Amino acid sequence: LFKAKEAFTIWKINTKELKMDLDDWQKEVLAVDGNLVLRSGRQVGKSTIISIKAALFALEHPDTLVLVVASVERQALLLFEKTLGYLLDHHKKEICTGTKRPTKHVINLKNHSRIIAAPCGLNGHGIRGYTADLVIFDEAAFIPELVFISIIPALMTRKTRIVLLSTPFGREGFFFNCFSDPTYTKFHISSLDCPRANKEFLEHQKATLSQAVWEQEYLGEFSERLRCFFSTELISSIALLKRLEPASMLNPVNVRPPGAGALEGKKYMGVDLARMGSDQSSFCSLRRTPPGKIEMFDLKVTEKTVLTDSIRLIKELENQYNYFKVAIDSAGLGAAVYDILNETEGIRRKLVPIDNSTRSLDREGKQHRRLLKEDLYANLLGLMQRQEILIFDDPELIMSLRSIQYEYTDKKDIKIWGAYDHITESLTRAAWLAAKDKGLNIWVDFK
Ligand SMILES: Nc1ncnc2c1ncn2[C@@H]1O[C@H](COP(=O)(O)OP(=O)(O)OP(=O)(O)O)[C@@H](O)[C@H]1O
Ligand SMILES: [Mg+2]
């Protein structure tokens, strides 16, 4: 490693210009010229510093290609936009204008370097055909192994640098293995060491999350206890439907897929609402097809919306599809939306309140040992294993399913958690309605 001070001369960074003081480890990250792997807790500033590194690399190395990759487009664009922001703030004159001006995915520099953002998806399709000088994988632990095996060799020249950054996830695979690869400079940053960390928030998280999740998400530790709930193979076997609408899920404007009116079968919607303004909300629609299968036919994800937007979207979808049942969180923030919809003629009788924290009753009416949330997930898992459900072949949906982890509690119960669980939450709710309605045996046991 270079010393922090040298880093500044090498990369010609002036901290005053940056409008923020870099943490020591961030300065060291900038100084590394070679392969680099970084694991950390949430929100320590890893995407920020790597986005600056991407910009500086392209400025310092004329005629090169920097590729910013993540498993889904949204994630790749988050880092890419930070790179563009940094360049606009500090090196605007170096950015091409006119026909070569920055687009959503490409920045052309006057020194003939380019920075490109691309999602790699499940099989690396989006990054095939590039040869890059610097490749950055954001949330690298969530990138399917197949991408690394099949794509990395083709991306590389002798001098290609690889940068991987992520919160840890799973104790196997490319990201995990890089930590024992001597050609990588390694960083491990805990959220507790971040000078900007909100101590109260972290204490609250520590108190609410399980020990294993806390260690993974905030201390940046690879967990021994947390396992994937849905295997990649299982997901691939049921993710067969091409999406009906090409529009981004994050753009709910285009809510009417072609031919929607012709969809047969009873329809069910599962809703997961975001905490105010921050997270994503998800609206998942399933229908029972005549041969008795359950099939996804609509999926909306909204970001940074207010509750009234969610209510409007639910009403629009209801007008369009005339659902048989709609499941929506009735605890926490969902309660307000639930209450308002419950006063709305037409939709009231269709509403099914879902409270993830309540216990469900088994068929004999006895208190069930598991929490309802675990029942919902077990139901979806059973449908998937029996090939009774088909879902969109959509990267955001698949990433959400892959992010779901479970652990056994000391009482041998199962506890489920997911870093990107919003879409899956809405899917489990819709699938619960659809399966329950059919009178299926919903008390599936999962090993
Ligand atoms: N050195 C710094 N000084 C001040 N603010 C910073 C610094 N580094 C990062 N930040 C800010 O901290 C926040 C989190 O940064 P960033 O998104 O890069 O973290 P992350 O580790 O990638 O988070 P996540 O776990 O959500 O992916 C952002 O608002 C960013 O602008
Ligand atoms: Mg990040």
Side-chain angles (χ1 to χ4, degrees):
L1 279 185
F2 294 101
K3 290 252 160 42
K5 234 182 177 167
E6 283 169 306
F8 280 89
T9 50
I10 288 166
W11 293 98
K12 297 190 186 118
I13 280 208
N14 175 344
T15 26
K16 288 212 181 83
E17 260 182 33
L18 262 181
K19 292 182 210 140
M20 61 180 171
D21 294 324
L22 294 180
D23 301 343
D24 286 344
W25 69 268
Q26 289 180 316
K27 295 173 189 169
E28 289 179 17
V29 161
L30 284 187
V32 174
D33 186 15
N35 294 345
L36 179 166
V37 62
L38 192 172
R39 70 180 146 116
S40 81
R42 308 289 316 274
Q43 287 288 302
V44 298
K46 57 188 176 302
S47 296
T48 300
I49 198 60
I50 300 292
S51 69
I52 296 174
K53 192 172 177 69
L56 293 174
F57 182 91
L59 289 167
E60 295 270 313
H61 302 80
D63 212 9
T64 52
L65 173 64
V66 177
L67 210 52
V68 177
V69 181
S71 91
V72 295
E73 180 175 42
R74 178 178 46 79
Q75 189 81 42
L77 289 181
L78 274 178
L79 201 151
F80 176 85
E81 282 160 9
K82 284 185 176 160
T83 301
L84 179 59
Y86 170 78
L87 285 167
L88 286 169
D89 281 353
H90 305 290
H91 303 275
K92 199 171 175 183
K93 287 198 181 121
E94 310 300 326
I95 305 174
C96 290
T97 51
T99 54
K100 289 195 151 185
R101 68 181 178 275
T103 65
K104 195 175 166 198
H105 298 98
V106 183
I107 305 168
N108 288 294
L109 296 183
K110 289 185 181 155
N111 70 0
H112 301 290
S113 286
R114 280 182 309 156
I115 303 164
I116 295 182
C120 61
L122 270 189
N123 53 23
H125 187 71
I127 54 174
R128 216 172 286 259
Y130 289 112
T131 309
D133 300 278
L134 171 64
V135 196
I136 292 165
F137 292 97
D138 198 5
E139 290 300 325
F142 293 89
I143 293 178
E145 201 53 14
L146 191 64
V147 173
F148 291 113
I149 295 168
S150 65
I151 298 296
I152 285 241
L155 269 178
M156 305 262 295
T157 66
R158 203 163 46 83
K159 284 184 147 181
T160 304
R161 285 95 162 157
I162 299 181
V163 169
L164 300 141
L165 57 151
S166 195
T167 39
F169 180 79
R171 291 182 63 84
E172 56 182 20
F174 196 87
F175 181 74
F176 179 75
N177 292 335
C178 281
F179 283 91
S180 44
D181 182 333
T183 68
Y184 281 78
T185 305
K186 301 156 191 86
F187 289 85
H188 174 198
I189 319 294
S190 159
S191 299
L192 291 176
D193 297 333
C194 178
R196 293 167 298 283
N198 176 338
K199 297 278 179 299
E200 270 173 31
F201 173 76
L202 288 180
E203 266 164 34
H204 175 75
Q205 290 297 87
K206 190 174 179 186
T208 19
L209 296 171
S210 78
Q211 179 74 12
V213 172
W214 160 255
E215 287 172 5
Q216 174 180 269
E217 293 299 301
Y218 292 95
L219 307 188
E221 301 287 359
F222 288 109
S223 175
E224 303 254 5
R225 289 183 74 138
L226 296 167
R227 305 274 158 81
C228 271
F229 191 78
F230 303 107
S231 73
T232 308
E233 296 71 38
L234 181 63
I235 298 167
S236 303
S237 72
I238 66 150
L240 300 171
L241 298 172
K242 289 278 164 243
R243 276 185 66 80
L244 294 170
E245 48 174 325
S248 147
M249 280 203 299
L250 296 177
N251 174 11
V253 182
N254 178 13
V255 288
R256 193 179 295 270
L263 287 173
E264 284 178 51
K266 279 184 184 168
K267 301 180 185 66
Y268 308 87
M269 172 157 60
V271 178
D272 183 53
L273 292 164
R275 281 172 291 278
M276 189 75 78
S278 57
D279 274 329
Q280 298 181 329
S281 299
S282 179
F283 309 79
C284 172
S285 300
L286 301 177
R287 68 185 178 109
R288 289 258 304 283
T289 61
K293 292 217 178 195
I294 296 168
E295 202 174 277
M296 184 175 281
F297 65 92
D298 193 291
L299 181 62
K300 299 278 176 287
V301 180
T302 59
E303 219 170 31
K304 300 192 171 61
T305 46
V306 292
L307 290 179
T308 44
D309 292 333
S310 298
I311 293 169
R312 192 175 320 116
L313 182 57
I314 292 169
K315 286 184 182 169
E316 272 173 28
L317 288 165
E318 159 63 10
N319 281 341
Q320 187 176 353
Y321 296 123
N322 186 19
Y323 293 98
F324 189 67
K325 292 275 179 226
V326 175
I328 181 164
D329 23 352
S330 60
L333 211 95
V337 174
Y338 181 82
D339 289 347
I340 292 170
L341 290 172
N342 209 15
E343 309 227 314
T344 309
E345 214 46 61
I347 196 162
R348 176 197 338 213
R349 64 190 163 81
K350 303 180 174 186
L351 286 186
V352 178
I354 299 271
D355 180 347
N356 263 353
S357 63
T358 55
R359 286 172 185 280
S360 60
L361 300 179
D362 67 13
R363 277 173 298 174
E364 280 83 47
K366 291 195 209 106
Q367 197 78 12
H368 208 258
R369 235 163 53 83
R370 269 184 271 140
L371 296 179
L372 182 56
K373 172 172 175 173
E374 279 66 39
D375 294 332
L376 290 170
Y377 277 75
N379 171 59
L380 178 61
L381 184 65
L383 290 170
M384 289 168 75
Q385 286 168 342
R386 297 189 303 274
Q387 303 264 317
E388 288 175 356
I389 185 167
L390 287 179
I391 60 171
F392 288 146
D393 186 7
D394 181 281
E396 295 256 356
L397 167 62
I398 289 169
M399 166 132 171
S400 174
L401 285 167
R402 291 183 69 238
S403 82
I404 306 298
Q405 296 177 301
Y406 73 93
E407 65 185 293
Y408 287 104
T409 67
D410 297 339
K411 290 180 191 145
K412 299 276 176 275
D413 282 330
I414 265 182
K415 201 165 179 183
I416 294 172
W417 184 88
Y420 301 97
D421 65 355
H422 303 292
I423 301 178
T424 306
E425 283 281 301
S426 67
L427 172 59
T428 59
R429 289 168 192 179
W432 170 262
L433 293 179
K436 211 170 154 174
D437 203 38
K438 197 178 159 193
L440 287 175
N441 176 14
I442 50 177
W443 305 111
V444 212
D445 266 316
F446 47 95
K447 302 271 173 317

